[in-house]
Amino acid sequence: MAGSSGRDASPSGIPAVPAEEDSILGTALSTKNIEAFGRKVTTTANHLIGPFGDAGTGAPYQSALTELHKELRRPTIQRRVFTFAQASPSEIVRSKLSTSEIQYRALSFVPDELLANIPENDNVYSLFQGFQATLPGIHSENRKGPRRRSSRGQKLLGTTDDASEIEELPSIGKLKRGKRELSHRLEMLGVRKNMASSEIREIDNKIANLNTMRKIVLDRLAALEHDEALMEHDILNIDHQLEDLQEELDDAAALSLPTPKIDVADDTDMSETNLMNASFMSESIYEKLPSPKARKHKTISDFPMTSLAPFLGGPNEDAGEGRKSIPILHEHFEPGLSIRDLQAHNDMITALDFDVPFGTMVTAALDDTVRVWDLNAGRCMGLLEGHHASVRCVQVEDNIVATGSMDASIRLWDLSRAQYFPQGNRINKDDGDDEDDGLAIENPDDLPPPPPASSMQDCPLFSLEAHVGEVTALYLRGDTLVSGSADKTLRQWDLEKGRCVQTLDVLWAAAQASATMGSGDGQWRQTGRLPDASADFVGALQCFDAALACGTADGMVRLWDLRSGQVHRSLVGHTGPVTCLQFDDVHMVTGSLDRSIRIWDLRTGSIYDAFAYENPITSMQFDSRRIVAAAGEDVVKVYDKTDGRHWDCGAGVNAEEEGRNPTIVERVRIKDGYLTEGRKDGVVGVWAC
């Protein structure tokens, strides 16, 4: 009895069902069993409900159990329970529900999202077959099978007794079993092949979904960079307004000072010229006048020498003028992707340059125009007017633009003064002002509409006029500008003082270098080719501190020391005029009309590498990874320095497939993988490289 009571009690105080009554539903039930079952249910309910409340709280549960006890005593209920206990679960399901009803009830609880994404059941193999195919025993047996067969074949070949061969022949049953095993393995291989094919299709679907998501994120990044550019433009406008207000306050304070009295007796010895100078504003007050926005088309002599520094790059450059953010959208494009095509001019592009990706670009062409472009919006900001002939060379350094023209002059421009409002900029505009400003180009095949004439009227800074031949090359760095001209001279300009501080005669310096070194390395030499009338005497130049590199029409690259004005070294290798060059800390890359690009080691002065092309090189530039060149074709030649791969980028890559006939590329520029190229028909293409 004690053992029985121990089994009936559980740790929680709930009586347990006796062992002999565990199978009560599987045997015939009597009234006594039903009553005992009811008493146990009542006792269990009392234990569960009683401790959690007072007597009033448990009354509804007691009445409910009483009603349940009465229902269980009815003969009809008892007979149904007996029948249910004697039937198996499968018989109950078959008797109550059909197969279609079971499927319907199962699907009725599945959400509509899952039902919409149910894959098509085009698989001929079942789930169990797929599980069998993934067992490791299948692969090991499949690999070991041929080796066993080969050893068995060796045994058959090694026997010489016919009787022993007959005895060792397998029986028909064994062969059939082997055939069945091989057939099963073949079937499993088919299952595995089908599974691999399904995985490939699933991976392709995932790749397509990821590409779609990537495009969405790229669009979001493009919108963010567009808003960022607009915000920086608005901040720059506010900075200019603050500067104007500060200058007005300074002017008011300066004019409010009392005018000093002049004693005529003490100034009897003052000449008439000095009196006129004294009656005019002093230089200190002149510098406090409003910024030169009101002084249009001034020459350098109209500016005080100390007032040029704020417009220049280098140490005196205002930190707030440049862009604070760095565009990164093009870094996520596929190499060779076309970003934009601009019908920039009506004639051949002669020069182009830009500051940063999606920033500001300046283009010049033989149509005697110089245009400024907003690369982010693909819009023409305005024209830089002042030269009397076509511009041959352009450089953009932050907001400063330097242009060299066939009229033998060099002009500097400040783009921060441009009256340009990017698309989407709503500052100082009415909400209902949605009219087109005439700057946007809707159809790239159409000629660009003339921008407002007043958009760039405040941009000219000053002009440098000392050359007597067309300016074919220039380089601006800090407060120093170096220019090369068809008059066979190089000139160094001090932009703070606004004058030419040094003139280098290329022919004279070459002769001096030849006499000093005692060899013909530095002297002017013939290239062995017929003179090219279109070749510039000074094809390209670049300077850094006191070092100057210059490529000339004799195919030589001369390294100058600006402190002494002498040629320090000459790089001999090209057999045609040098048209482009660029150097960094270790190497220099040069391009020539001899249809080659050469890479020089500046430490030794020797050729590090060279590439040959089918046509002359007219333009070249490199960044941290790529060298791009215009080689007389409708594509840009790209050399990847990282993996040593040569490939083409431009409109001519897929021209035949698209039925187009692009013209030859004349000028190229690249910065941080952002490529711009100018063609003979005046089109400028922008590419991710």
Side-chain angles (χ1 to χ4, degrees):
M1 181 67 68
S4 176
S5 62
R7 286 191 303 269
D8 293 342
S10 65
S12 60
I14 302 175
V17 180
E20 61 271 11
E21 296 180 358
D22 289 342
S23 59
I24 188 171
L25 294 178
T27 60
L29 297 178
S30 62
T31 306
K32 186 181 295 185
N33 298 131
I34 296 299
E35 292 176 353
F37 177 71
R39 287 194 300 272
K40 292 176 181 178
V41 172
T42 304
T43 305
T44 304
N46 288 334
H47 280 279
L48 292 175
I49 301 171
F52 293 96
D54 53 5
T57 306
Y61 298 101
Q62 296 291 341
S63 60
L65 291 175
T66 303
E67 294 294 331
L68 179 61
H69 182 69
K70 291 180 180 180
E71 291 295 329
L72 290 175
R73 292 178 63 89
R74 293 183 179 181
T76 307
I77 299 299
Q78 292 178 4
R79 284 195 297 271
R80 290 180 180 177
V81 172
F82 297 155
T83 306
F84 183 78
Q86 292 176 357
S88 61
S90 59
E91 294 176 351
I92 295 174
V93 173
R94 292 194 189 99
S95 61
K96 298 298 182 182
L97 302 174
S98 62
T99 303
S100 59
E101 188 175 1
I102 293 174
Q103 294 178 351
Y104 172 76
R105 293 194 179 189
L107 293 177
S108 63
F109 292 97
V110 179
D112 295 337
E113 292 80 5
L114 296 179
L115 292 176
N117 295 325
I118 292 179
E120 297 181 0
N121 189 14
D122 55 353
N123 198 339
V124 297
Y125 301 103
S126 65
L127 182 62
F128 180 72
Q129 288 176 319
F131 174 74
Q132 279 186 324
T134 57
L135 293 177
I138 300 298
H139 314 300
S140 60
E141 291 177 2
N142 190 22
R143 295 190 185 97
K144 294 179 181 179
R147 288 196 292 269
R148 289 200 300 268
R149 289 195 297 272
S150 62
S151 61
R152 187 182 302 114
Q154 291 177 0
K155 290 182 180 179
L156 292 176
L157 291 175
T159 56
T160 56
D161 191 359
D162 296 339
S164 60
E165 290 181 0
I166 296 175
E167 291 178 356
E168 290 183 2
L169 288 177
S171 61
I172 297 178
K174 190 175 182 180
L175 289 176
K176 289 183 178 180
R177 286 195 300 272
K179 181 181 178 181
R180 285 195 299 269
E181 291 178 0
L182 294 177
S183 300
H184 177 69
R185 293 174 184 172
L186 180 61
E187 183 181 4
M188 292 299 103
L189 290 177
V191 174
R192 293 180 61 237
K193 184 174 69 174
N194 186 270
M195 292 171 59
S197 177
S198 300
E199 289 180 4
I200 292 175
R201 286 194 295 268
E202 184 177 358
I203 292 173
D204 291 339
N205 293 333
K206 290 181 179 179
I207 292 175
N209 294 334
L210 289 175
N211 287 332
T212 303
M213 294 176 61
R214 187 178 187 275
K215 185 178 182 303
I216 294 173
V217 177
L218 275 179
D219 294 340
R220 189 190 311 161
L221 178 60
L224 290 175
E225 289 198 348
H226 179 70
D227 296 341
E228 189 179 48
L230 294 179
M231 193 67 64
E232 290 193 0
H233 187 274
D234 297 340
I235 293 174
L236 186 61
N237 288 337
I238 294 175
D239 289 340
H240 291 165
Q241 293 177 8
L242 291 175
E243 292 177 1
D244 294 343
L245 291 176
Q246 185 63 38
E247 289 174 354
E248 292 178 1
L249 293 176
D250 295 341
D251 295 342
L255 295 176
S256 63
L257 295 176
T259 304
K261 296 181 179 180
I262 302 176
D263 191 356
V264 180
D266 296 338
D267 296 338
T268 55
D269 296 335
M270 184 179 297
S271 63
E272 183 178 358
T273 305
N274 292 335
L275 286 173
M276 293 179 61
N277 293 337
S279 64
F280 193 67
M281 298 180 183
S282 65
E283 184 178 356
S284 60
I285 297 179
Y286 182 82
E287 291 178 354
K288 293 181 179 180
L289 288 176
S291 61
K293 290 184 178 180
R295 302 193 297 271
K296 304 174 184 178
H297 303 286
K298 299 285 185 179
T299 62
I300 190 169
S301 60
D302 297 325
F303 287 87
M305 296 308 166
T306 57
S307 65
L308 297 179
F311 305 125
L312 306 176
N316 297 323
E317 182 183 3
D318 186 4
E321 290 295 325
R323 289 196 61 175
K324 300 179 179 61
S325 60
I326 301 176
I328 59 174
L329 177 63
H330 64 285
E331 298 178 0
H332 303 281
F333 290 156
E334 292 292 332
L337 176 67
S338 175
I339 300 177
R340 178 175 281 113
D341 276 350
L342 301 173
Q343 183 63 51
H345 296 271
N346 302 328
D347 209 333
M348 185 181 75
I349 302 293
T350 57
L352 62 86
D353 195 16
F354 64 96
D355 52 359
V356 293
F358 297 99
T360 303
M361 178 179 66
V362 180
T363 59
L366 290 180
D367 57 5
D368 297 343
T369 60
V370 181
R371 295 180 181 268
V372 184
W373 299 86
D374 181 0
L375 289 175
N376 188 44
R379 294 152 53 95
C380 179
M381 299 169 57
L383 281 77
L384 300 179
E385 299 177 341
H387 285 291
H388 304 293
S390 298
V391 169
R392 295 293 312 277
C393 47
V394 169
Q395 183 178 349
V396 180
E397 193 73 17
D398 293 332
N399 290 322
I400 304 301
V401 178
T403 56
S405 171
M406 297 176 67
D407 61 4
S409 68
I410 301 170
R411 290 182 178 268
L412 269 72
W413 319 76
D414 185 6
L415 296 184
S416 63
R417 303 178 179 184
Q419 301 298 321
Y420 169 69
F421 301 98
Q423 188 176 11
N425 181 21
R426 308 304 300 172
I427 290 185
N428 298 329
K429 288 187 178 182
D430 298 334
D431 293 338
D433 187 12
D434 294 332
E435 296 181 359
D436 187 12
D437 57 0
L439 295 178
I441 301 177
E442 297 181 356
N443 188 359
D445 296 333
D446 297 338
L447 296 179
S454 61
S455 59
M456 297 289 168
Q457 63 181 1
D458 298 331
C459 293
L461 289 179
F462 50 85
S463 176
L464 304 175
E465 298 178 357
H467 286 291
V468 295
E470 62 179 87
V471 179
T472 57
L474 59 82
Y475 190 82
L476 172 65
R477 182 178 179 84
D479 57 356
T480 301
L481 186 145
V482 180
S483 59
S485 171
D487 59 8
K488 300 179 177 58
T489 63
L490 305 175
R491 293 184 181 267
Q492 180 184 358
W493 306 83
D494 186 347
L495 299 182
E496 289 187 354
K497 299 179 180 179
R499 62 186 180 88
C500 177
V501 297
Q502 185 173 198
T503 300
L504 305 176
D505 191 316
V506 178
L507 294 179
W508 181 85
Q512 289 296 111
S514 176
T516 302
M517 293 183 293
S519 64
D521 291 342
Q523 66 181 356
W524 189 266
R525 63 190 183 90
Q526 298 297 328
T527 61
R529 296 174 178 269
L530 295 177
D532 190 355
S534 62
D536 299 326
F537 184 86
V538 179
L541 53 84
Q542 180 183 348
C543 67
F544 178 79
D545 198 9
L548 171 65
C550 172
T552 51
D554 63 342
M556 295 186 63
V557 179
R558 294 177 174 85
L559 306 181
W560 302 71
D561 187 349
L562 293 178
R563 295 168 295 187
S564 62
Q566 300 295 325
V567 176
H568 176 66
R569 176 181 293 176
S570 298
L571 305 180
V572 181
H574 284 294
T575 59
V578 177
T579 57
C580 44
L581 67 81
Q582 184 182 354
F583 63 82
D584 55 14
D585 297 338
V586 179
H587 296 101
M588 174 185 291
V589 183
T590 59
S592 170
L593 294 183
D594 63 0
R595 300 177 297 179
S596 70
I597 288 180
R598 298 173 185 266
I599 303 176
W600 308 79
D601 191 335
L602 294 178
R603 297 166 296 185
T604 61
S606 59
I607 295 179
Y608 176 77
D609 202 351
F611 312 114
Y613 296 91
E614 296 181 358
N615 298 291
I617 307 298
T618 57
S619 180
M620 180 277 307
Q621 195 176 29
F622 67 84
D623 59 5
S624 59
R625 180 172 178 175
R626 304 166 186 85
I627 301 175
V628 297
E633 299 183 18
D634 55 3
V635 295
V636 178
K637 297 295 184 179
V638 183
Y639 171 68
D640 196 321
K641 296 185 290 185
T642 304
D643 55 12
R645 181 172 62 97
H646 292 266
W647 56 285
D648 297 338
C649 177
V653 175
N654 300 322
E656 296 182 359
E657 300 176 359
E658 299 175 358
R660 296 184 293 109
N661 187 21
T663 56
I664 295 176
V665 177
E666 290 291 334
R667 295 290 183 267
V668 292
R669 282 293 181 268
I670 186 172
K671 291 181 182 179
D672 299 329
Y674 189 87
L675 171 66
T676 59
E677 46 95 4
R679 309 170 197 163
K680 271 194 172 182
D681 57 357
V683 175
V684 174
V686 183
W687 303 81
C689 186

